[in-house]
Amino acid sequence: MRRFAADRARRAVAASLRGAASRSAAPSPHAPPPRHPASPMGAAAMAAAMARAMSTAAAGAPPVSLDTINPKVLKCEYAVRGEIVTHAQNLQQELQKNPESLPFDEILYCNIGNPQSLGQQPVTYFREVLSLCDHPALLDKSETHALYSSDAIERAWQILEKIPGRATGAYSHSQGVKGLRDEIATGIAARDGFHASGDNIFLTDGASPAVHMMMQLLISSEKDGILCPIPQYPLYSASIALHGGSLVPYFLDEETGWGLEVDELKKQLEEARSKGITVKALVVINPGNPTGQVLAEENQKKIVEFCKNEGLVLLADEVYQENIYVEDKQFHSFKKIARSLGYTDDDLPLVSFQSVSKGYYGECGKRGGYMEITGFSPEVREQIYKVASVNLCSNVSGQILASLVMNPPKAGDESFESFMVERDGILSSLARRAKALEEAFNSLEGITCNKAEGAMYLFPRLHLPQKAIGAAQAAGTAPDAYYAKRLLEATGIVVVPGSGFGQVPGTWHFRCTILPQEDKIPAIISRFKEFHEKFMDEFRD
Amino acid sequence: MRRFAADRARRAVAASLRGAASRSAAPSPHAPPPRHPASPMGAAAMAAAMARAMSTAAAGAPPVSLDTINPKVLKCEYAVRGEIVTHAQNLQQELQKNPESLPFDEILYCNIGNPQSLGQQPVTYFREVLSLCDHPALLDKSETHALYSSDAIERAWQILEKIPGRATGAYSHSQGVKGLRDEIATGIAARDGFHASGDNIFLTDGASPAVHMMMQLLISSEKDGILCPIPQYPLYSASIALHGGSLVPYFLDEETGWGLEVDELKKQLEEARSKGITVKALVVINPGNPTGQVLAEENQKKIVEFCKNEGLVLLADEVYQENIYVEDKQFHSFKKIARSLGYTDDDLPLVSFQSVSKGYYGECGKRGGYMEITGFSPEVREQIYKVASVNLCSNVSGQILASLVMNPPKAGDESFESFMVERDGILSSLARRAKALEEAFNSLEGITCNKAEGAMYLFPRLHLPQKAIGAAQAAGTAPDAYYAKRLLEATGIVVVPGSGFGQVPGTWHFRCTILPQEDKIPAIISRFKEFHEKFMDEFRD
């Protein structure tokens, strides 16, 4: 009886939590709130007491252990900040304590696309605007004009006008400040030549939470699959693992410069389907991470048509859209491609991820980003909105910065020329660094390396001698992880083993950013070269 | 045969993605990378083709619908930004178009603890420091001294020194900048009188992602339960739903000022266990949300002992720690209580959530926050770290702000006096507003309201006439949702129906923030009063 009453109460609470009306007879008004039922008695209480005794009997065991936590968490991996980085951090501490203890004097973090950690300076105009928006009282003071450019001041005013109550310290709309989303949409429309709407923008703390949000929406169980490139950025494998789905790999073709072939997509899709997996979406990273290729327009058209024909959501990771280093390639958003093929909102669900962390701005620490979603039904959009609203909103400084990078200074603005000097300086230097590193890698025995057409990485292939593979096996590690560890210990250079991104079985790679400052590149190349030659001498078959 | 080979390849890739060595024979060095196998043939291909045909046959149906998305997303609710807020936003648009169309001239958002959206000004010192850290070039200029206080300039220097390379635009350590975490730990130690370590701090974008992270770690299936107060802040029910666990409710006792009784905890725990639910953790919100009570020290001790004896993780939501409005209550962190009982790291896993969104600072839009985790094994901590690292880091401005609110200006600092004036002005005004609203609610027929001892909310109980309940039923909605809708349409005041937080079945409440600016409170009270009296007149039995 007691159990029944409690059950009913719980069901009613659950219904109430769902926002549904509990239509059972209500107590008369003014009655005191019913107190929770009295303490349990009888058989149920005894059973519960036993359960409790069992629990306290195990008092020696910690309440939380690897055996009791969510196995999806255990399964997830994220190599970009994995074992090799922990090892590097330990070496860095050693170096601080005893600078002479290691054969190098600094750790060079080439494991992660984090430009400002390696000395890239932030773009002045963007930071002026952020600084003013953080402390709007400055805008009323005449001294401010001595410290800030006049167009930054003007822009800060415009931004504050878009924020209700000018309150940069208030939670915004769950999708982000409407006026900032509209400004981003204007930037997208100018980029693509097709309409964009602020209503389709969801501002997020960097692109990662947006990717998680889509995975959470699309994945119900391991029977739901997401087509991902191999090699891939491990956010995707990690997010799919955390949400309990199946990563359906498609292989990029290293021989054709990491080409993305629709035949391969079809083959892998069909194979996954034949195993009973419902493939929900295709992830395309363009420009590629870790692979650095920039897709050709014709290729993108085929990919869009593939998604349209197969009923897949196209998840377009376009965070490197500003990072293009070759004359013959250009960035085209997948939305532009879809619209240029005549596809509308009704034809194709498409999500474009963008971030303030990449591009020439490289503002990783600001955690700004957005996703533009098109082609979803109003009911599904409402679900996406609901999930966004549980986290209230993304950080407003990141929101402001996202609106700035999508609408930088224009010709005629006071800051325009200096802005362009900073912007082009960073991008052309990145292009030179990419080329220098690629050439250096390709000059070495046992390394082949595709060009970085875009993004921030090279993904050289290691053709390791059998002896080196044997040494790795003896050390209980993957050959590329073994190589990366030896590289770190000899030179202080941190790269991520290819096994963290996925690769064709039996091939070995590493990912290396192109981000060390240009004046350091020659020294890095010579340190790398020296290490590699010794390594090959040691292990040559 | 083909299928077998493909399977093997996929397993190898999966192993490689997990970072394990694929120890199968590697191809000889210098061989070109093996291309993915040729297109499929035979029976498997036919099956796949059929599956594809079936998929394209359904081309009319959208690839993503409510039937195909993750049912956990569908199940999750978040009333704080639910239906009533959407309705309010629509009314606001109507008001902008036609100011005379409604019986009020502004919408008053009392649905959410968002002080700056209702006119609270940010604390000057904090914003000065943030502004300088956003644009460090200012620190080298003499004109800066005309605009910023000297201790804010000094503090900005100190903070930049803690950030590697002074790079506020770089991803930080996944837990947050080490120096800032150490500073937060210093603040915690000063608050509690017990040691705290920066190694135990995980900085997050507000407290919500930290709560999600813990739920993700603890919940594997619906067999895993989390004890949550009823009423509760719906982040908890939403997060438990999204992670597929079971919310095990315990009822706060409205009669004793929302008392939290350990007998009730025991009863609900035993009942959940008797149903085969493994209860992993206890959520306590102190000061309470939506209920505003501040727990007594003796009560907290019993709660800590309960968790220790029952092997539960104590998840302590302490985001309102600065918001205490009564003389006879004080905030004590659960960690302080545990340590004062002699419990160490070995006795009890404990997580304390804190945020820059609340307190006197109310910097919701900055999305700063942290969790302090103690009592977890190194292996489990590593898993938490891994999940944090997938998202790279929280926003650095929010990190800086978290370090500031835990270490505000001290006596002797240039800004100290003006800082204290701002701080105490906000807190004492909040206390007056809480009292004025509470008294107003209690003066009305059919409303009883506990004191807001802390936090930012009142949670009055509506003793609704039977006729009003009937009218709600006829409208197909919960009585408190019906009341809130009528209130909004008559006055522009937005409150959240109690059903969004959970309540004892058959009782009805709403949550109302105490945040409207003080000069608006009398008008709000009179608008509310007028509405309520009319409502009671309309429905009196």
Side-chain angles (χ1 to χ4, degrees):
Chain A
M1 183 61 203
R2 194 196 63 80
R3 172 105 60 105
F4 171 73
D7 272 348
R8 203 176 48 182
R10 174 137 341 118
R11 275 198 306 276
V13 170
S16 151
L17 282 171
R18 286 196 304 272
S22 168
R23 294 187 186 80
S24 59
S28 72
H30 309 291
R35 297 200 54 170
H36 37 76
S39 290
M41 304 281 176
M46 278 187 56
M50 277 177 60
R52 190 182 150 203
M54 282 170 65
S55 139
T56 42
V64 192
S65 71
L66 292 190
D67 295 332
T68 63
I69 66 168
N70 181 358
K72 291 173 193 160
V73 167
L74 275 179
K75 206 180 152 195
C76 138
E77 290 294 339
Y78 188 69
V80 171
R81 289 208 163 173
E83 218 174 300
I84 190 96
V85 182
T86 308
H87 189 40
Q89 286 164 343
N90 293 339
L91 291 181
Q92 189 164 24
Q93 283 177 9
E94 216 169 298
L95 214 49
Q96 273 160 1
K97 273 185 247 162
N98 188 354
E100 304 298 311
S101 62
L102 296 170
F104 45 85
D105 52 15
E106 70 172 327
I107 302 283
L108 266 163
Y109 288 99
C110 300
N111 58 301
I112 188 165
N114 193 8
Q116 295 190 31
S117 77
L118 294 175
Q120 183 175 309
Q121 291 306 300
V123 173
T124 308
Y125 174 84
F126 295 157
R127 290 303 192 97
E128 285 185 320
V129 177
L130 287 183
S131 172
L132 290 164
C133 290
D134 264 345
H135 191 29
L138 295 180
L139 291 169
D140 296 323
K141 295 186 182 170
S142 60
E143 294 95 330
T144 302
H145 290 270
L147 285 171
Y148 294 87
S149 63
S150 62
D151 54 342
I153 293 172
E154 174 61 27
R155 188 70 176 264
W157 274 118
Q158 287 169 9
I159 286 169
L160 290 175
E161 287 302 318
K162 291 178 202 293
I163 298 176
R166 296 184 188 169
T168 54
Y171 293 127
S172 71
H173 185 281
S174 301
Q175 287 181 237
V177 173
K178 176 67 163 73
L180 298 177
R181 285 185 277 131
D182 289 344
E183 203 166 340
I184 289 168
T186 305
I188 293 171
R191 179 194 71 196
D192 292 347
F194 290 97
H195 173 73
S197 163
D199 294 337
N200 294 338
I201 306 293
F202 283 71
L203 281 151
T204 48
D205 292 308
S208 305
V211 170
H212 286 309
M213 228 188 279
M214 291 312 300
M215 294 302 174
Q216 188 164 49
L217 184 84
L218 295 171
I219 296 172
S220 307
S221 76
E222 59 191 5
K223 286 283 167 203
D224 290 327
I226 308 289
L227 269 163
C228 285
I230 298 295
Q232 52 108 28
Y233 173 48
L235 166 65
Y236 293 97
S237 51
S239 189
I240 292 168
L242 285 174
H243 293 102
S246 290
L247 187 154
V248 179
Y250 66 89
F251 290 85
L252 301 175
D253 185 6
E254 185 162 14
E255 270 192 288
T256 57
W258 301 112
L260 196 174
E261 293 172 28
V262 172
D263 282 351
E264 165 71 359
L265 294 178
K266 280 191 183 136
K267 186 172 76 71
Q268 301 292 356
L269 173 70
E270 282 163 7
E271 189 170 316
R273 283 180 175 163
S274 74
K275 288 178 181 161
I277 292 184
T278 306
V279 179
K280 296 287 190 86
L282 167 69
V283 172
V284 179
I285 311 175
N286 179 46
N289 175 7
T291 41
Q293 82 284 20
V294 177
L295 296 180
E297 200 174 342
E298 280 310 306
N299 193 193
Q300 288 184 271
K301 285 182 183 168
K302 284 183 190 153
I303 294 165
V304 168
E305 273 161 356
F306 170 76
C307 288
K308 158 77 183 153
N309 292 337
E310 301 293 350
L312 301 180
V313 178
L314 177 48
L315 300 173
D317 181 334
E318 299 181 327
V319 302
Y320 297 99
Q321 56 188 264
E322 302 269 8
N323 298 91
I324 311 276
Y325 309 124
V326 287
E327 296 275 312
D328 57 335
K329 289 287 180 81
Q330 217 184 324
F331 171 75
H332 302 285
S333 79
F334 271 103
K335 190 171 145 237
K336 173 182 168 182
I337 299 290
R339 295 293 174 269
S340 69
L341 285 169
Y343 290 143
T344 69
D345 235 6
D346 296 333
D347 294 306
L348 184 80
L350 195 158
V351 184
S352 165
F353 301 102
Q354 164 68 323
S355 167
V356 304
S357 304
K358 309 303 170 184
Y360 56 90
Y361 21 88
E363 291 276 19
C364 306
K366 296 293 174 190
R367 311 310 287 127
Y370 70 80
M371 58 178 178
E372 182 191 16
I373 64 164
T374 51
F376 290 86
S377 69
E379 301 79 41
V380 172
R381 286 178 57 105
E382 208 174 287
Q383 297 298 316
I384 301 172
Y385 175 79
K386 184 178 70 182
V387 172
S389 77
V390 174
N391 284 327
L392 300 163
C393 68
S394 64
N395 85 86
V396 173
S397 296
Q399 294 186 25
I400 293 171
L401 191 48
S403 80
L404 292 173
V405 305
M406 296 305 287
N407 293 279
K410 291 181 179 52
D413 294 347
E414 182 188 311
S415 296
F416 180 69
E417 273 184 45
S418 61
F419 165 77
M420 289 301 281
V421 168
E422 290 181 48
R423 174 186 173 280
D424 294 345
I426 291 166
L427 287 173
S428 58
S429 168
L430 284 172
R432 288 191 298 271
R433 288 179 252 173
K435 195 155 188 289
L437 285 165
E438 176 220 317
E439 286 174 359
F441 288 139
N442 276 318
S443 77
L444 294 172
E445 177 193 0
I447 294 189
T448 53
C449 183
N450 278 322
K451 209 186 276 185
E453 299 175 327
M456 294 183 170
Y457 317 99
L458 289 160
F459 198 62
R461 182 171 177 213
L462 292 166
H463 307 265
L464 294 173
Q466 210 49 49
K467 262 194 204 163
I469 291 166
Q473 280 174 333
T477 183
D480 48 10
Y482 181 76
Y483 181 90
K485 188 164 179 248
R486 291 282 303 262
L487 173 67
L488 168 61
E489 288 169 352
T491 65
I493 301 170
V494 192
V495 299
V496 186
S499 36
F501 304 89
Q503 51 201 346
V504 169
T507 70
W508 310 108
H509 301 78
F510 62 88
R511 187 184 82 164
C512 179
T513 71
I514 58 169
L515 297 176
Q517 288 299 290
E518 211 166 351
D519 56 357
K520 289 193 172 173
I521 297 282
I524 290 170
I525 288 175
S526 85
R527 270 150 80 180
F528 185 90
K529 220 169 152 173
E530 192 190 350
F531 158 77
H532 183 79
E533 281 163 1
K534 275 194 194 153
F535 185 92
M536 293 301 277
D537 287 346
E538 184 180 342
F539 290 108
R540 194 172 289 109
D541 289 322
Chain B
M1 181 59 204
R2 195 197 60 82
R3 172 106 59 106
F4 172 74
D7 272 347
R8 203 176 49 183
R10 174 140 337 121
R11 276 198 305 278
V13 170
S16 150
L17 282 171
R18 285 195 305 274
S22 168
R23 293 185 187 81
S24 60
S28 70
H30 310 290
R35 298 199 54 171
H36 37 76
S39 292
M41 303 284 173
M46 277 187 59
M50 276 176 62
R52 191 183 148 203
M54 283 169 66
S55 138
T56 43
V64 193
S65 71
L66 293 190
D67 295 332
T68 62
I69 66 168
N70 181 358
K72 291 173 192 160
V73 167
L74 275 179
K75 206 179 152 195
C76 140
E77 289 296 339
Y78 188 68
V80 172
R81 290 208 163 175
E83 218 174 300
I84 189 95
V85 182
T86 309
H87 189 40
Q89 287 164 345
N90 293 339
L91 291 181
Q92 189 164 26
Q93 282 177 10
E94 215 169 301
L95 214 50
Q96 274 162 359
K97 271 185 247 159
N98 187 356
E100 305 298 314
S101 61
L102 296 171
F104 46 85
D105 53 14
E106 69 172 327
I107 302 282
L108 266 164
Y109 288 98
C110 299
N111 58 301
I112 186 166
N114 194 8
Q116 296 190 30
S117 77
L118 293 176
Q120 183 175 309
Q121 291 305 301
V123 173
T124 308
Y125 174 84
F126 295 157
R127 290 304 192 96
E128 285 185 321
V129 177
L130 287 183
S131 172
L132 290 164
C133 290
D134 264 345
H135 191 31
L138 294 179
L139 291 168
D140 297 323
K141 296 187 181 167
S142 60
E143 294 94 331
T144 302
H145 290 269
L147 285 171
Y148 294 87
S149 63
S150 63
D151 55 342
I153 293 172
E154 175 62 27
R155 187 70 175 266
W157 274 119
Q158 287 168 10
I159 286 169
L160 291 175
E161 287 303 317
K162 292 178 202 293
I163 299 175
R166 297 183 186 169
T168 55
Y171 293 127
S172 71
H173 185 281
S174 301
Q175 287 182 236
V177 173
K178 178 68 164 70
L180 299 177
R181 284 185 278 131
D182 288 344
E183 205 166 340
I184 288 168
T186 303
I188 293 171
R191 180 193 70 195
D192 291 347
F194 289 97
H195 173 74
S197 163
D199 294 338
N200 293 337
I201 305 294
F202 283 71
L203 282 151
T204 47
D205 292 308
S208 306
V211 170
H212 286 308
M213 228 188 278
M214 291 312 299
M215 294 302 173
Q216 187 163 52
L217 183 84
L218 295 172
I219 296 172
S220 307
S221 77
E222 59 191 8
K223 287 283 166 201
D224 290 328
I226 309 289
L227 269 163
C228 283
I230 296 297
Q232 53 107 30
Y233 172 48
L235 167 66
Y236 293 97
S237 51
S239 189
I240 292 168
L242 285 173
H243 293 101
S246 290
L247 188 154
V248 179
Y250 66 89
F251 290 86
L252 301 175
D253 185 7
E254 185 163 12
E255 271 193 287
T256 58
W258 301 114
L260 196 174
E261 293 172 27
V262 171
D263 282 350
E264 165 72 359
L265 294 178
K266 278 190 184 137
K267 186 172 77 70
Q268 300 293 355
L269 173 69
E270 281 162 10
E271 187 170 316
R273 281 179 177 163
S274 73
K275 287 179 181 160
I277 291 185
T278 305
V279 179
K280 295 290 189 85
L282 167 70
V283 171
V284 180
I285 311 176
N286 179 46
N289 175 6
T291 41
Q293 83 284 21
V294 177
L295 297 180
E297 202 174 342
E298 282 310 306
N299 194 193
Q300 288 185 274
K301 284 181 183 168
K302 284 183 190 153
I303 294 165
V304 167
E305 273 161 357
F306 169 76
C307 288
K308 158 78 183 152
N309 292 336
E310 300 293 350
L312 300 180
V313 178
L314 177 47
L315 300 173
D317 181 333
E318 300 181 325
V319 303
Y320 297 100
Q321 57 188 265
E322 303 270 8
N323 297 91
I324 311 276
Y325 309 124
V326 287
E327 294 275 311
D328 57 335
K329 289 286 180 81
Q330 218 185 323
F331 171 75
H332 302 285
S333 78
F334 272 102
K335 190 171 145 234
K336 173 182 169 182
I337 299 290
R339 295 291 175 271
S340 68
L341 286 168
Y343 290 144
T344 69
D345 235 6
D346 296 334
D347 294 305
L348 185 78
L350 196 156
V351 184
S352 166
F353 302 102
Q354 165 67 322
S355 166
V356 304
S357 303
K358 310 302 171 185
Y360 56 89
Y361 21 89
E363 291 277 19
C364 306
K366 294 294 175 190
R367 312 310 287 124
Y370 70 79
M371 58 176 178
E372 182 191 16
I373 64 164
T374 51
F376 289 86
S377 69
E379 301 78 42
V380 173
R381 287 177 57 103
E382 210 174 285
Q383 296 298 318
I384 300 172
Y385 175 78
K386 185 179 68 182
V387 172
S389 76
V390 174
N391 285 326
L392 299 163
C393 67
S394 63
N395 84 86
V396 173
S397 295
Q399 294 187 26
I400 292 170
L401 190 50
S403 80
L404 291 173
V405 305
M406 296 305 286
N407 293 278
K410 288 180 182 52
D413 293 349
E414 181 187 312
S415 296
F416 180 69
E417 274 183 45
S418 60
F419 165 77
M420 288 302 280
V421 168
E422 291 181 48
R423 174 185 172 280
D424 293 345
I426 292 166
L427 287 173
S428 57
S429 168
L430 285 172
R432 287 191 299 272
R433 287 179 253 173
K435 197 156 184 292
L437 285 166
E438 177 220 316
E439 286 174 358
F441 287 139
N442 276 317
S443 75
L444 295 173
E445 176 192 2
I447 294 190
T448 52
C449 183
N450 278 321
K451 208 185 277 185
E453 299 175 328
M456 294 182 170
Y457 316 98
L458 289 160
F459 198 62
R461 183 172 174 211
L462 292 168
H463 307 266
L464 293 174
Q466 210 48 51
K467 261 195 206 161
I469 291 167
Q473 280 174 332
T477 181
D480 49 8
Y482 180 75
Y483 181 90
K485 189 165 179 244
R486 291 282 302 262
L487 173 68
L488 168 62
E489 288 170 351
T491 65
I493 301 170
V494 193
V495 299
V496 187
S499 37
F501 304 89
Q503 50 201 348
V504 169
T507 69
W508 310 109
H509 301 76
F510 62 87
R511 187 184 82 165
C512 178
T513 71
I514 57 168
L515 298 175
Q517 287 300 287
E518 213 167 348
D519 56 359
K520 290 193 173 174
I521 296 282
I524 290 171
I525 287 175
S526 85
R527 269 151 80 179
F528 185 89
K529 221 169 151 172
E530 191 191 351
F531 159 77
H532 184 77
E533 281 163 2
K534 274 195 195 152
F535 186 91
M536 293 302 278
D537 287 346
E538 183 178 344
F539 291 108
R540 194 173 289 109
D541 290 321

